[in-house]
Amino acid sequence: MDARSPQHETTMAEVRQQESGVVMPAGAVSTARRILQRITGLREFNILVALLLLGLFLSLTTDAFLTTGNLFGVARAFSLTAIVAIGQTMVILTGGIDLSVGSVLALAGLSTGMLLERGAPLPVAVMAGLGVGAIVGLVNGLLITRVGLPPFIATLGTLSIGRGLVYVLTKGYPVTVPYDYQVFIWLGQGYVWIVPVPVIVMVVLTILGTIFLGFTTYGRYIYAVGGNPEAARLAGIPVERVKLLVYVLCSTLAALAGLILVARLVSAQPSAGLGFELPVIAASIIGGTSLMGGEGTVLGAVLGAAIMGVLENGMVLLGVSTYAQQAVTGTVIILAVALDIWQKRRRMRVRRTRG
């Protein structure tokens, strides 16, 4: 029998396992190897490893990082970014972008806060805030699909309009939410056991978003539209309806984040959400979402938000200045995009070689 035959390799593997005291069938070894290769091949696996390495570094260099209070505090801090990044990821998957999420967050929170200040029923105030987000998303989608404006221009316009409305309605003053609405305040300040409520909301939305993108018809449509809009249209996919859907979802999630922020602060601040679109987009990109569309996951976006949150917390614990923090964050974004481009080129070279 040839020394390199599969039977000989199987026998040698069994001998090595017997020498180590562990006997496993060759089929189980092969299955375990395939599972390991599949896991390590996932884009999210690399992001998770980076997050764990960052956490390990901060655990060794600071005393306060690896404590329950700090970890849950970090999770609460980046939960709003992660919630909005879920919607932003869906938009970017179609080849678009939504710059208005910060203004939507502020306008939706202000709408709910003003109604609560006037004694409106809580369900009415909450639905009004979410409705504002859905309306802005619908306007964005119509400007892009019907008017034909580029996503950057359309959402930049609604960003300015939304921020202007916030300042007009508040005249620069915050709107305070009465403490009578304890159920609403619990949404931002409450806990379930030791876990902050916003973190639970983030986890639930991550699961729902993953199921939606991975196991529903419209989820597959979103990837198809981002991969090749014209091919998707020829295949009978309602491209315009898909784009409308993702912009409405994105703005609605931004509105939800605005309500959580108002509940946490017990007031609607006119400056809420200023520049919020930048960390949201960065979270999606760091999480592996391609700006070209068609590639990315909800879990990756949430992990990207976690990396940014942990990085920011770590720099504070290490005493890094605020100005340097911004520089570090910008560097991380550039590296993430550069890595994405490098991986795409590498995959293209591999395909050409195999072809």
Side-chain angles (χ1 to χ4, degrees), residues 16 23 27 48 58 62 69 74 106 144 167 172 210 228 251 280 310 340 350:
R16 286 194 295 269
V23 179
L48 180 60
L58 293 175
T62 65
V74 173
I144 293 165
Y167 286 128
T210 300
N228 191 324
S251 290
V280 167
V310 170
D340 177 63
V350 171

Side-chain angles (χ1 to χ4, degrees), residues 222-248:
I222 289 172
Y223 283 104
V225 171
N228 191 324
E230 188 58 32
R233 185 177 288 106
L234 293 175
I237 295 175
V239 175
E240 292 187 356
R241 193 183 307 168
V242 170
K243 289 184 178 182
L244 280 173
L245 175 64
V246 295
Y247 281 99
V248 170

Side-chain angles (χ1 to χ4, degrees), residues 324-347:
Q325 290 178 25
Q326 295 178 359
V328 171
T329 302
T331 303
V332 170
I333 295 172
I334 292 174
L335 290 175
V337 176
L339 179 61
D340 177 63
I341 294 174
W342 176 80
Q343 288 178 336
K344 275 192 169 184
R345 290 176 177 173
R346 181 173 175 272
R347 287 195 296 269

Side-chain angles (χ1 to χ4, degrees), residues 292-327:
M292 299 296 110
E295 292 185 19
T297 62
V298 165
L299 179 59
V302 173
L303 290 174
I307 287 178
M308 292 185 63
V310 170
L311 183 63
E312 182 179 350
N313 176 254
M315 287 189 290
V316 171
L317 295 177
L318 293 172
V320 179
S321 69
T322 305
Y323 306 108
Q325 290 178 25
Q326 295 178 359

Side-chain angles (χ1 to χ4, degrees), residues 97 99 140 143-144 148-161:
I97 198 164
L99 300 178
N140 284 335
L143 288 173
I144 293 165
L149 294 179
F152 184 90
I153 299 300
T155 57
L156 181 62
T158 51
L159 178 155
S160 300
I161 293 171

Side-chain angles (χ1 to χ4, degrees), residues 125-311:
V126 170
M127 292 305 297
L130 295 177
V132 166
I135 290 171
V136 175
L138 182 61
V139 170
N140 284 335
L142 291 174
L143 288 173
I144 293 165
T145 59
R146 299 298 174 86
V147 180
L149 294 179
F152 184 90
I153 299 300
T155 57
L156 181 62
T158 51
L159 178 155
S160 300
I161 293 171
R163 185 61 59 181
L165 286 174
V166 168
Y167 286 128
V168 167
L169 293 172
T170 63
K171 296 180 174 60
Y173 293 98
V175 175
T176 303
V177 175
Y179 278 92
D180 298 337
Y181 296 97
Q182 285 298 315
V183 175
F184 178 72
I185 295 173
W186 176 82
L187 180 65
Q189 299 184 0
Y191 291 82
V192 175
W193 188 41
I194 61 173
V195 183
V197 173
V199 177
I200 295 176
V201 174
M202 174 188 68
V203 172
V204 170
L205 290 175
T206 301
I207 295 172
L208 293 177
T210 300
I211 293 173
F212 173 69
L213 282 181
F215 301 97
T216 67
T217 301
Y218 266 88
R220 292 189 289 271
Y221 284 174
I222 289 172
Y223 283 104
V225 171
N228 191 324
E230 188 58 32
R233 185 177 288 106
L234 293 175
I237 295 175
V239 175
E240 292 187 356
R241 193 183 307 168
V242 170
K243 289 184 178 182
L244 280 173
L245 175 64
V246 295
Y247 281 99
V248 170
L249 286 175
C250 183
S251 290
T252 303
L253 289 176
L256 175 60
L259 267 60
I260 295 175
L261 181 61
V262 170
R264 180 180 177 184
L265 301 177
V266 200
S267 65
Q269 301 290 333
S271 61
L274 275 175
F276 190 63
E277 59 279 351
L278 298 180
V280 167
I281 295 171
S284 296
I285 295 171
I286 293 172
T289 304
S290 173
L291 285 172
M292 299 296 110
E295 292 185 19
T297 62
V298 165
L299 179 59
V302 173
L303 290 174
I307 287 178
M308 292 185 63
V310 170
L311 183 63

